[in-house]
């Protein structure tokens, strides 16, 4: 995909919009926004294509919503290029969704304490590991970082209460708990090493887009 990349499409759209609204000074901002939008659309199309084929649309939708909300607040490990981020995200979410689906008959028989234990563990991880902003967009000060930490913890509590209310016999409850656990994992040193390994293994396309996941 050397001829057409998400970065080039974003740049083209951003430049076009900037010219249309006569705001050449906003070209860079508009280009970055367009890059994110186009990248997100492509990611969703690919992810839900796999989900539809594998009949895990519900699982993928819940995983995507939960991880999306929490990641916006907490950040986490990043791949170094868009295409590697896309491949890693699609692979991980598809594996998680499919694993939950095929093992649900067994999972639903687990004691409710297992679900509660997962949720307690995830809360502990979010408590220990503060939000992690991308290196190119760091927090301006500690107050903002602390605010995002509290927002993250509050959101985790709300989602955990939702899972508990749904009960251990509920598929969405387990998907929510696994989504929270996965996102918490990406905050840990081990999670960073895992994503770094995925990034390393997907270096065939070194000229991929510049957008981070």
């Amino acid at each position: 995909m050397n001829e057409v990349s998400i970065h080039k499409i974003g740049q083209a759209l951003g430049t076009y919009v900037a010219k249309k609204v006569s705001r050449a000074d906003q070209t860079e901002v508009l280009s970055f926004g367009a890059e994110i939008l186009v990248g997100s659309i492509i990611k969703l199309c690919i992810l839900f294509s796999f989900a539809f084929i594998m009949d895990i649309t519900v699982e993928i939708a819940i995983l995507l919503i939960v991880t999306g909300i929490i990641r916006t607040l907490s950040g986490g490990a990043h791949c170094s290029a868009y295409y590697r981020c896309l491949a890693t995200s699609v692979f991980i979410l598809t594996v998680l969704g499919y694993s939950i689906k095929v093992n649900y008959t067994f999972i639903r028989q687990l004691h409710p304490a297992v679900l509660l234990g997962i949720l307690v563990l995830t809360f502990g991880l979010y408590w220990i590991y503060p939000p992690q902003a991308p290196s190119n967009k760091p927090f301006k000060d500690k107050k903002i970082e602390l605010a995002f930490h509290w927002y993250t913890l509050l959101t985790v509590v709300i989602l955990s209460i939702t899972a508990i209310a749904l009960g251990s016999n509920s598929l969405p409850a387990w998907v929510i708990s696994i989504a929270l656990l996965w996102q918490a994992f990406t905050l840990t040193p081990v999670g960073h090493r895992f994503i770094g390994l995925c990034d390393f293994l997907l270096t065939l396309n070194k000229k991929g887009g510049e957008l981070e996941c």
Side-chain angles (χ1 to χ4, degrees), residues 65-137:
I65 291 171
V66 175
T67 56
I69 292 173
I70 297 298
R71 189 172 183 81
T72 299
L73 298 171
S74 70
H78 289 275
C79 285
S80 59
Y82 172 74
Y83 293 107
R84 292 193 281 277
C85 174
L86 174 62
T88 301
S89 297
V90 170
F91 175 74
I92 294 298
L93 292 179
T94 301
V95 168
L96 288 177
Y98 186 72
S99 297
I100 293 172
K101 182 179 181 63
V102 299
N103 292 296
Y104 179 58
T105 302
F106 167 74
I107 293 174
R108 66 182 301 178
Q109 297 177 13
L110 295 174
H111 194 279
V114 176
L115 176 64
L116 182 60
I118 292 175
L119 296 173
V120 171
L121 173 61
T122 58
F123 182 83
L125 291 173
Y126 287 111
W127 179 274
I128 294 171
Y129 297 100
Q132 300 167 7
S135 57
N136 62 332
K137 291 178 289 183

Side-chain angles (χ1 to χ4, degrees), residues 127-149:
W127 179 274
I128 294 171
Y129 297 100
Q132 300 167 7
S135 57
N136 62 332
K137 291 178 289 183
F139 292 115
K140 294 181 179 180
D141 55 53
K142 284 292 183 180
K143 289 184 179 179
I144 295 178
E145 181 180 348
L146 182 61
F148 270 91
H149 197 179

Side-chain angles (χ1 to χ4, degrees), residues 9-93:
I9 294 173
Q11 289 288 330
L13 286 175
T15 302
Y16 174 78
V17 174
K19 289 181 179 179
K20 278 292 183 179
V21 298
S22 301
R23 293 297 301 273
D25 58 315
Q26 295 295 312
T27 299
E28 186 176 348
V29 174
L30 292 171
S31 296
F32 182 71
E35 194 176 344
I36 292 176
L37 179 61
V38 173
S40 297
I41 292 173
I42 292 177
K43 178 178 178 178
L44 287 174
C45 289
I46 294 175
L47 189 55
F48 277 101
S49 294
F50 278 107
F52 180 76
I53 293 172
M54 302 175 71
D55 193 25
I56 52 173
T57 306
V58 173
E59 291 84 352
I60 291 297
I62 298 174
L63 284 167
L64 199 58
I65 291 171
V66 175
T67 56
I69 292 173
I70 297 298
R71 189 172 183 81
T72 299
L73 298 171
S74 70
H78 289 275
C79 285
S80 59
Y82 172 74
Y83 293 107
R84 292 193 281 277
C85 174
L86 174 62
T88 301
S89 297
V90 170
F91 175 74
I92 294 298
L93 292 179

